[in-house]
Amino acid sequence: QVQLVESGGGLVQTGGSLRLSCAASGRSGNGMGWFRQAPGKEREWVGAITWSAGITYYGDSVKGRFTISRDNSKNMVYLQMNSLKPEDTAVYYCATYRPKGGSYYAPGSYDYWGQGTQVTVSS
C-alpha cells in the first residue's frame, strides 16, 4: 500500500505559477503521474516521470508550460505550473505507475492515487 499526499494547490491569477508537491510513502512501478479533473469533465492526464532516469512525458494541453520533477531520496514528485490559464482549474492528483503498467497517459496504468489538491486560476 502506497500513500500519496498532494499539496501546493490554491488560487492564482491567469499567467501565474504554482508548484504542486506529491509525497509518496513508497513506490509501486517505475514512475509517477499527474492527472487533473475539472467539474463535469473526465480525468485528464497531465504528465508523468520515471523514477529511474527522470524521463518526463506531458499532455498536449500543458506541454511547454508545466514541468515535472522528482527527488528520489525523498520519494517526492513535483509539478511546476507556469503561465496558468483558467482552463487549468481542476483538482490535481498524483498517482503511482503500476508495475508493468501500460501507457503513461492511461488512468488504468496507475494503482495508487492521492486525495487531490484544488487549483483555481482566476481570469
Side-chain angles (χ1 to χ4, degrees), residues 71-100:
D71 184 333
N72 285 16
S73 65
K74 298 179 180 179
N75 279 348
M76 293 287 295
V77 177
Y78 306 97
L79 178 65
Q80 177 66 44
M81 305 184 294
N82 298 329
S83 301
L84 282 162
K85 306 174 182 179
E87 51 263 45
D88 295 318
T89 295
V91 177
Y92 284 71
Y93 302 88
C94 61
T96 56
Y97 183 75
R98 67 174 68 247
K100 299 182 180 180

Side-chain angles (χ1 to χ4, degrees), residues 6-21 34-37 44 46-47 58 61-69 77-93 117-121:
E6 301 96 337
S7 61
L11 174 64
V12 65
Q13 291 186 333
T14 296
S17 299
L18 278 177
R19 187 194 194 209
L20 305 185
S21 299
W34 284 97
F35 288 79
R36 66 186 183 185
Q37 189 165 19
E44 177 188 11
V46 173
Y58 297 98
S61 62
V62 305
K63 200 173 295 183
R65 299 188 298 124
F66 290 10
T67 303
I68 299 174
S69 60
V77 177
Y78 306 97
L79 178 65
Q80 177 66 44
M81 305 184 294
N82 298 329
S83 301
L84 282 162
K85 306 174 182 179
E87 51 263 45
D88 295 318
T89 295
V91 177
Y92 284 71
Y93 302 88
T117 185
Q118 176 71 47
V119 172
T120 303
V121 184

